[in-house]
């Protein structure tokens, strides 16, 4: 078991104040692999006070100085890549090869993209030629609370910490108590990079405790949260009395629209994307909408892909999906699979219970339902497991109607060889992102949604500017640089 670690405040590891111990569970074997301490309100207050004290100096540093610290973080992050991969695999069950190739590198990708985007940030901007003595100053918002999830730990930590640092904010990070080990490694990286005391603070805790304390704290100017829609609503309400900016990146129920003219790899690509990270991705294409003329052959292909999907321990090397993160998550997924059966969807792959050969660990059978209707629970709720619903449609208009009939709006997908059709679909689908024909978003593209998926835009210039606010200045002396 990993030695007990608490949290990071003002540049040093400190003992918690009246904290509760919390076991971190290895989802591959259901055994405790570490113990952390959950911080108290007093711990949170200390962290916020440290960040507030550091804000004046940090916010006034030259942007190039802040950029230098981030470049140092990138360097040390690369050196600690294997430590990070092992921590993520242990805490949340990502297979070790996937942890190395995707989980850890998502953090690297975001750090590098923010470094690139930073050159396009103008902190002092002219209003326009009509007002030569007006300027818009883009200034750091202040102390920010960053609350991150367990499913892609470094993806979300770097999407929040790095732009906050570059913007000139100071911060308190609360990682998920379910998967805190990778954030402990990250805190060590920030410390090793020499970031000044008080700029970055981390407090382990749960949502009810530290999460609520940050959301209601009068000295926290902004909350950036990634997680469930239910928790996002609670944070918004908690933050209202202190007039915080609240940026939410929440769940999804992505539609993957497969037209009859989709490329030969589209179905396999869609099923594997749904099952990636054991289905624990907010942007997973969990509803496969299929044009009726190719529906039967699509279902057959999906069954074939599910049968070839291996399940295994996160500690084993190789190409397979691991367990889901926790007993609670396992039970939720099992209940929703049973709900799909009870409501009349046709189970064509997987089902309830563990895969053959497993009697412990939170392993879920890769599951596919056909003949799903969009009013079924499995088509409405975010399952967050390896469960795919296949829904037929008649024409383009019908596909748009089904795809948009959801409370969520994060990512939708389109598969067609008809460019005009793809472009029409991209504009009509109600979501923050649309990916087509297997092409991922480019570096620096914003990540975020609409409706119950939240309104955040993380990544690139948009991600940095979420931590800035505009100040209008008139009477600026334009003769002085």
């Amino acid at each position: 078991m990993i030695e007990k670690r608490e949290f990071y405040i003002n540049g040093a590891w400190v003992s918690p104040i009246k904290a509760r111990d919390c076991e971190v569970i290895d989802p591959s074997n259901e055994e405790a692999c570490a113990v952390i301490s959950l911080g108290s309100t007093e711990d949170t207050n200390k962290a916020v006070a440290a960040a507030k004290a550091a804000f004046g100096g940090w916010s006034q540093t030259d942007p190039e100085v802040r950029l230098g610290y981030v470049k140092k973080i990138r360097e040390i992050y690369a050196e600690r890549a294997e430590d990070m991969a092992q921590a993520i695999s242990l805490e949340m069950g990502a297979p070790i090869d996937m942890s190395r190739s995707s989980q850890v590198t998502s953090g690297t990708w975001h750090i590098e993209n923010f470094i690139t985007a930073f050159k396009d940030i103008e902190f002092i901007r002219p209003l326009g030629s009509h007002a030569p003595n007006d300027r818009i100053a883009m200034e750091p918002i202040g102390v920010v609370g960053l609350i991150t999830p367990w499913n892609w730990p470094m993806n979300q930590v770097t999407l929040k910490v790095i732009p906050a640092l570059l913007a000139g904010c100071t911060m308190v990070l609360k990682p998920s108590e379910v998967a805190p080990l990778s954030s402990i490694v990250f805190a060590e990286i920030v410390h090793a990079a020499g970031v000044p005391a008080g700029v970055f603070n981390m407090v382990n805790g749960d949502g009810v405790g530290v999460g609520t304390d940050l959301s209601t704290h009068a000295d926290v100017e902004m909350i950036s949260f990634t997680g469930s829609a239910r928790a996002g609503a609670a944070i918004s309400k908690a933050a209202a009395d202190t007039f915080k900016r609240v940026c939410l990146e929440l769940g999804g129920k992505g539609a993957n629209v497969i037209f009859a003219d989709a490329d030969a790899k589209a179905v396999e690509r869609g099923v594997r994307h749904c099952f990636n990270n054991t289905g624990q991705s907010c942007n997973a294409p969990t509803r496969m909408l299929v044009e009726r003329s190719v529906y039967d052959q699509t279902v057959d292909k999906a069954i074939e892909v599910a049968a070839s999907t291996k399940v295994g321990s996160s500690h084993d090397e190789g190409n397979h999906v691991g367990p889901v993160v926790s007993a609670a998550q396992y039970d939720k997924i099992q209940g929703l699979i049973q709900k799909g059966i009870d409501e009349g969807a046709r189970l064509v792959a997987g089902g309830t219970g563990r895969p053959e050969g497993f009697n412990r660990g939170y392993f879920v059978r890769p599951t596919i339902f056909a003949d799903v209707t969009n009013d079924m629970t499995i088509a409405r709720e975010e399952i967050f497991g390896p469960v795919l619903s296949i829904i037929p449609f008649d024409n383009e208009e019908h596909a748009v109607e089904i795809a948009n009939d959801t409370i969520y709006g994060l990512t939708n997908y389109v598969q067609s060889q008809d460019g005009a059709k793809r472009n029409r679909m991209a504009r009509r689908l109600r979501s923050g992102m649309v990916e087509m024909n297997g092409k991922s978003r480019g570096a620096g593209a914003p990540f975020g949604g609409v409706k119950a998926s939240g309104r955040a835009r993380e990544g690139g210039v948009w991600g940095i500017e979420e931590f800035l606010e505009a100040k209008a200045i008139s009477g600026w002396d334009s003769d002085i640089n």
Side-chain angles (χ1 to χ4, degrees):
M1 185 184 296
I2 290 179
E3 63 179 291
K4 180 176 174 180
R5 304 302 290 270
E6 287 83 28
F7 53 87
Y8 185 82
I9 278 186
N10 204 27
W13 292 103
V14 300
S15 297
I17 304 165
K18 299 178 182 178
R20 295 176 288 121
D21 285 348
C22 174
E23 289 185 334
V24 180
I25 304 299
D26 179 345
S28 288
N29 57 29
E30 304 181 42
E31 296 177 358
C33 61
V35 178
I36 62 168
S37 293
L38 301 182
S40 67
T41 298
E42 191 172 353
D43 296 321
T44 305
N45 289 343
K46 284 183 63 179
V48 173
K52 183 178 180 181
F55 177 72
W58 181 252
S59 63
Q60 297 303 310
T61 55
D62 188 289
E64 288 300 314
V65 171
R66 300 197 295 271
L67 180 62
Y69 283 114
V70 169
K71 287 181 176 179
K72 187 64 176 178
I73 289 171
R74 177 185 60 181
E75 176 187 330
I76 302 171
Y77 186 95
E79 294 170 356
R80 298 289 303 272
E82 182 61 19
D83 294 338
M84 189 67 79
Q86 294 290 341
I88 294 173
S89 184
L90 180 65
E91 68 188 358
M92 60 75 58
I96 186 60
D97 284 358
M98 183 264 188
S99 186
R100 290 171 179 142
S101 64
S102 298
Q103 288 276 4
V104 173
T105 55
S106 67
T108 310
W109 170 256
H110 292 311
I111 296 171
E112 291 177 347
N113 289 341
F114 280 126
I115 289 171
T116 300
F118 194 57
K119 71 178 185 299
D120 294 325
I121 300 293
E122 288 184 274
F123 286 95
I124 303 292
R125 309 172 181 181
L127 177 62
S129 58
H130 68 288
N133 298 113
D134 280 44
R135 294 294 182 272
I136 302 298
M138 300 301 293
E139 299 186 343
I141 194 168
V143 176
V144 297
L146 312 175
I147 303 175
T148 57
W150 47 260
N151 59 321
W152 287 89
M154 284 303 106
N155 183 75
Q156 290 308 134
V157 167
T158 55
L159 273 173
K160 298 183 191 300
V161 171
I162 300 302
L165 288 172
L166 289 170
C169 295
T170 57
M171 67 211 67
V172 180
L173 169 67
K174 189 208 83 65
S176 169
E177 72 278 15
V178 175
L181 306 181
S182 54
S183 289
I184 290 173
V185 176
F186 186 81
E188 293 173 349
I189 291 169
V190 174
H191 184 53
V195 173
V199 171
F200 170 87
N201 307 275
M202 191 181 98
V203 181
N204 280 320
D206 56 20
V208 173
V210 174
T212 299
D213 290 340
L214 287 173
S215 300
T216 57
H217 202 294
D219 290 332
V220 174
E221 301 288 347
M222 169 181 166
I223 293 289
S224 177
F225 169 79
T226 299
S228 70
R230 176 193 55 78
I235 286 170
S236 295
K237 293 171 185 175
D241 287 343
T242 49
F243 306 103
K244 290 175 174 49
R245 178 183 295 176
V246 178
C247 294
L248 304 174
E249 197 281 285
L250 307 175
K253 196 68 182 176
N256 185 10
V257 183
I258 297 184
F259 286 99
D261 64 346
D263 67 87
K265 294 289 187 181
V267 177
E268 179 178 1
R269 186 168 63 239
V271 176
R272 296 204 184 284
H273 191 176
C274 177
F275 292 165
N276 185 46
N277 203 38
T278 323
Q280 299 170 122
S281 300
C282 54
N283 63 340
T286 53
R287 292 182 298 153
M288 182 176 281
L289 279 52
V290 182
E291 193 161 10
R292 205 174 292 276
S293 63
V294 294
Y295 182 77
D296 289 341
Q297 67 198 63
T298 296
V299 172
D300 289 343
K301 181 62 178 179
I303 294 170
E304 178 186 319
V305 176
S308 70
T309 301
K310 298 178 181 178
V311 178
S313 168
S314 65
H315 308 297
D316 294 340
E317 296 190 351
N319 185 18
H320 57 272
V321 299
V324 295
V325 73
S326 66
Q329 192 66 16
Y330 177 85
D331 291 342
K332 174 192 171 186
I333 294 165
Q334 295 300 311
L336 286 166
I337 292 173
Q338 186 60 53
K339 190 77 169 177
I341 296 169
D342 294 343
E343 291 185 355
R346 178 161 60 102
L347 181 69
V348 296
T352 57
R354 292 183 176 89
E356 185 177 351
F358 293 90
N359 59 12
R360 65 184 312 191
Y362 308 127
F363 296 97
V364 175
R365 300 169 68 189
T367 296
I368 297 177
F369 285 100
D371 304 346
V372 176
T373 58
N374 211 44
D375 60 347
M376 292 180 178
T377 303
I378 56 173
R380 309 302 295 179
E381 293 190 17
E382 185 180 39
I383 299 174
F384 233 58
V387 181
L388 175 66
S389 296
I390 305 181
I391 304 171
F393 69 86
D394 297 319
N395 51 44
E396 185 177 330
E397 189 71 28
H398 192 205
V400 171
E401 178 186 342
I402 297 171
N404 288 342
D405 181 19
T406 173
I407 65 169
Y408 295 105
L410 189 58
T411 314
N412 286 309
Y413 303 82
V414 179
Q415 319 299 327
S416 171
Q417 298 304 297
D418 184 334
K421 183 192 295 181
R422 289 200 312 273
N423 290 356
R424 287 194 304 270
M425 290 292 293
R427 296 302 305 275
R428 295 187 68 193
L429 292 171
R430 287 281 295 142
S431 55
M433 298 171 285
V434 178
E435 297 183 11
M436 301 189 285
N437 286 357
K439 186 171 179 58
S440 299
R441 292 168 297 109
F447 187 102
V450 299
K451 302 192 287 186
S453 293
R455 304 281 172 174
R457 290 295 180 270
E458 297 186 315
V461 171
W462 293 270
I464 298 171
E465 290 191 340
E466 279 204 331
F467 293 93
L468 297 170
E469 52 191 358
K471 175 191 286 183
I473 303 172
S474 59
W476 185 270
D477 190 334
S478 58
D479 294 329
I480 300 175
N481 292 328

